[in-house]
Amino acid sequence: PTPAFTFALINFVAVLIIACPCALGLATPMAIMVSSGSAATRGILIKDAASLEIANKINVIILDKTGTLTQGKPQLTDILSFNNTNQAEVLILAASLEQRSEHPLAQAILNEATTKKIKFYLLEDFKAISGKGIKGSLRVESGKAEAYLGNRALMAEIGVDMSQYEEGIRKLENDGKTVMILASDKKIKGALAVADVIKKESVAAVAELKKNGIEVWMLPGDNERTARAIATQAGIEHVMSEVLPEKKSEKVREFQAQGKMVAMVGDGINDAPALTQANIGIAMGEGTDIAMESANITLMRGDLMLIPEVIKISHR
């Protein structure tokens, strides 16, 4: 029986060797096509097959905050005024600076200014300072003013003392609000607080990812207090606050050096380097074109619950 079995096995393998390449050649792209199509019906656009293949091996996910965990439709909630500047002037200066900004936080200030029918100052020499804020020259009644709007790092960069204003600003940050500080003529003129509501599905998505053994991180540009407040709402323990765009991609590389498979989820221009660096870049469909171009996968509904769905499809 043994020689007969060996002879039969050799012939069986010979048939497989001849026939199987055709079957594999059809089955592999068919499996990718069906799974990609299935994902597309759920609002998940997959750019390349490799991303779908490795999605189930992801063990670290890094999330941006604004527009990813939160709705990205913030509202202006508070205006603080300092150094003999009234709240109306703080809003006019800030809105005039934000005219050319594409950040969701800028839209909150511009919406408030539009509602109050404020006339903007002429803006010249506008510059976005990555991870810190914006600056520009404004044609005010008294002449030309160099104005800055951003975080503490920006204020430190221009040499403005923040110490006497910290208490009021921290109080707003403890409530989970993002505070932008306005300075002109080397003086703090005021601060504007913006609140962004967390997406209702974010909490469920984070819980599902953690249940699958995935380590979830949040890397926002906000300060520690604001970042922690949002992270607590979302159920995220791992937070790195005040992260500049280039630091996000460095953090991705750090995880990859530890042998981990990393997914980066973001929606903004600032997220593009990290989306490219990650093993899988996932862009929110409501975000910028650059983010979607840099990513391997786009979630058309901007729903974080689609990420566990991607992993399930990859497993299948």
Side-chain angles (χ1 to χ4, degrees):
T2 304
F5 175 76
T6 304
F7 178 75
L9 182 62
I10 289 170
N11 282 281
F12 172 69
V13 171
V15 172
L16 284 178
I17 290 170
I18 295 164
C20 266
C22 296
L24 285 172
L26 291 170
T28 303
M30 185 69 76
I32 291 165
M33 184 184 73
V34 170
S35 54
S36 296
S38 176
T41 62
R42 293 165 165 82
I44 304 163
L45 298 186
I46 297 165
K47 193 184 290 184
D48 56 86
S51 300
L52 187 63
E53 187 177 350
I54 65 172
N56 65 87
K57 298 180 177 70
I58 290 297
N59 43 37
V60 173
I61 284 188
I62 297 174
L63 301 171
D64 179 43
K65 181 179 78 70
T66 305
T68 300
L69 274 169
T70 63
Q71 291 180 3
K73 296 174 183 175
Q75 294 182 332
L76 183 65
T77 58
D78 304 87
I79 299 176
L80 304 179
S81 57
F82 309 120
N83 286 311
N84 300 317
T85 307
N86 59 46
Q87 290 187 353
E89 183 65 10
V90 170
L91 180 58
I92 293 169
L93 288 168
S96 299
L97 272 177
E98 294 281 28
Q99 291 176 70
R100 297 184 197 168
S101 175
E102 296 180 350
H103 199 280
L105 298 183
Q107 198 56 50
I109 294 173
L110 292 171
N111 288 344
E112 182 70 15
T114 303
T115 301
K116 293 187 174 177
K117 297 179 180 177
I118 284 172
K119 187 178 179 182
F120 298 149
Y121 292 130
L122 179 65
L123 174 63
E124 298 174 351
D125 304 322
F126 172 83
K127 184 181 179 184
I129 303 162
S130 184
K132 295 178 182 178
I134 57 175
K135 72 173 185 176
S137 297
L138 296 174
R139 293 281 183 181
V140 298
E141 287 88 347
S142 56
K144 198 173 183 180
E146 285 292 322
Y148 299 82
L149 184 67
N151 56 21
R152 288 176 178 80
L154 181 60
M155 297 302 114
E157 189 175 290
I158 63 175
V160 174
D161 182 19
M162 286 276 307
S163 54
Q164 60 180 307
Y165 313 108
E166 281 288 353
E167 188 179 345
I169 291 171
R170 281 178 184 167
K171 195 177 290 183
L172 295 170
E173 290 171 343
N174 287 337
D175 293 334
K177 297 173 182 177
T178 299
V179 179
M180 290 165 280
I181 305 151
L182 177 71
S184 180
D185 303 323
K186 298 292 181 181
K187 288 182 181 177
I188 300 289
K189 296 292 184 180
L192 301 96
V194 171
D196 194 3
V197 181
I198 193 166
K199 292 177 181 176
K200 61 180 185 296
E201 62 270 16
S202 293
V203 178
V206 169
E208 183 70 19
L209 291 168
K210 286 161 70 176
K211 193 170 80 176
N212 290 337
I214 297 171
E215 195 174 313
V216 183
W217 281 75
M218 186 176 87
L219 269 64
D222 293 297
N223 64 81
E224 179 71 17
R225 282 176 294 278
T226 303
R228 284 285 172 194
I230 296 295
T232 301
Q233 291 178 45
I236 299 172
E237 293 91 14
H238 307 292
V239 183
M240 269 185 70
S241 55
E242 298 181 61
V243 182
L244 296 174
E246 60 271 18
K247 293 292 182 184
K248 288 185 181 181
S249 52
E250 281 181 25
K251 189 65 179 174
V252 172
R253 278 194 291 271
E254 185 183 311
F255 282 125
Q256 288 171 331
Q258 297 168 16
K260 294 182 177 180
M261 295 286 282
V262 184
M264 170 70 200
V265 188
D267 73 318
I269 293 170
N270 289 347
D271 300 318
L275 288 168
T276 304
Q277 177 63 40
N279 298 94
I280 296 180
I282 301 174
M284 309 304 277
E286 300 155 346
T288 62
D289 290 343
I290 292 176
M292 286 187 275
E293 184 61 33
S294 304
N296 309 102
I297 295 171
T298 299
L299 309 181
M300 294 310 296
R301 294 205 308 272
D303 181 353
L304 287 180
M305 278 304 291
L306 293 177
I307 299 174
E309 195 66 31
V310 170
I311 294 168
K312 284 178 187 174
I313 292 169
S314 177
H315 269 297
R316 291 182 195 134

